[in-house]
Amino acid sequence: MQVYGVDIGSRLLLGTAQYPSPAILGDAVRASGAEIVTVSLRRESGGNQHGQAFWNLIRDMGVRVLPNTAGCHSVKEAVTTAQMAREVFDTSWIKLEVIGDNDTLCPNVLDLVQAARLLSDDGFDVFPYTTDDLVVAERLLEAGCRVLMPWGAPIGTGLGLNNVYGLRSMRAHFPDVPLIVDAGIGLPSHAAHAMELGFDAVLLNTAVAKAGDPVMMASAFAKAVEAGTLARSADPMEARDMASPSTPVLGKASLG
């Protein structure tokens, strides 16, 4: 997978929030094989170097950091947070979130496009958290985004892929654009399904962080993503309405 000119070996991106301890976070990231982790600026904010130990842990993992604008509800807030994140984390990459509804955490797609355009013009490499709406996707690409991150389901719900038709349509409509399913993934089977649909990667957090054994779950997701990728490459059979015998009937012995 290549995003913004960078080759990425792992197709699993991992969030870093809500883990029981920093040690478990580190073990989970290593078990997942993830090469990109998302980090909220708020972990680094405040006086007296609050969050410095966390930042040191992330750097010691040797992974690429994708800062996000989690919790931002306006264009101004998202752009300002992104600019601060660029200074703190020394990267032009930004996962852009502009939340429009507090209950569903659905993106405000109008403000998202505007913020994406401003950040792209400012030299950012924008990873927009969006819906599976094709028109919004077109606008984001026109705004300068070179990757799209449609949700599978609302953040933290673990519902999986709520709109398979919409995701499949997005993959077909943008065959050459890196697509990453972001949010709503709850089980390794959900991640495998996303990869079987032809998506380039999945990004998840809660499903691993809140598992009874985050490290084991991270390993399970790594295997699921690999399995889904291989299945897609193997050109799977198409579903059909009628049964079709798997055992040939020609040459069957006649007892009559």
Side-chain angles (χ1 to χ4, degrees), residues 16 37-41 43-44 54-55 58 65-68 89:
T16 56
V37 298
T38 61
V39 178
S40 170
L41 178 65
R43 287 186 174 273
E44 282 293 312
F54 172 82
W55 179 223
I58 296 298
V65 172
L66 176 59
N68 66 37
F89 299 111

Side-chain angles (χ1 to χ4, degrees), residues 51 71 79 109 133 135 164 172 186 191-192 204-205 224 228-229 249:
V79 169
V109 294
D133 187 285
V135 176
V164 173
L204 53 97
N205 186 164
T229 303
V249 296

Side-chain angles (χ1 to χ4, degrees), residues 65-208:
V65 172
L66 176 59
N68 66 37
T69 61
C72 292
H73 289 76
S74 69
V75 173
K76 182 178 180 181
E77 185 180 13
V79 169
T80 301
T81 300
Q83 292 169 339
M84 294 171 63
R86 180 166 57 182
E87 296 300 318
V88 171
F89 299 111
D90 190 28
T91 178
S92 61
W93 283 19
I94 192 72
K95 179 190 172 188
L96 180 61
E97 296 183 22
V98 186
I99 301 302
D101 180 79
N102 287 327
D103 291 326
T104 64
L105 299 181
C106 181
N108 179 334
V109 294
L110 300 179
D111 286 356
L112 179 68
V113 172
Q114 183 179 350
R117 180 173 290 106
L118 291 172
L119 291 173
S120 295
D121 290 345
D122 193 26
F124 281 89
D125 299 322
V126 180
F127 294 68
Y129 161 64
T130 183
T131 65
D132 49 35
D133 187 285
L134 296 182
V135 176
V136 174
E138 289 278 11
R139 297 295 180 269
L140 288 168
L141 295 174
E142 291 170 0
C145 298
R146 291 162 57 191
V147 60
L148 298 171
M149 302 179 69
W151 66 351
I155 296 173
T157 61
L159 292 172
L161 309 184
N162 270 0
N163 184 4
V164 173
Y165 168 79
L167 293 173
R168 186 182 289 115
S169 297
M170 178 172 279
R171 178 70 286 173
H173 199 73
F174 303 106
D176 301 320
V177 177
L179 300 180
I180 302 172
V181 173
D182 176 22
I185 299 293
L187 294 170
S189 57
H190 298 158
H193 191 189
M195 303 309 294
E196 289 166 359
L197 291 176
F199 279 77
D200 296 281
V202 295
L203 193 163
L204 53 97
N205 186 164
T206 309
V208 170

Side-chain angles (χ1 to χ4, degrees), residues 23-36:
I24 291 176
L25 165 61
D27 289 344
V29 171
R30 284 184 283 272
S32 74
E35 298 178 18
I36 300 174

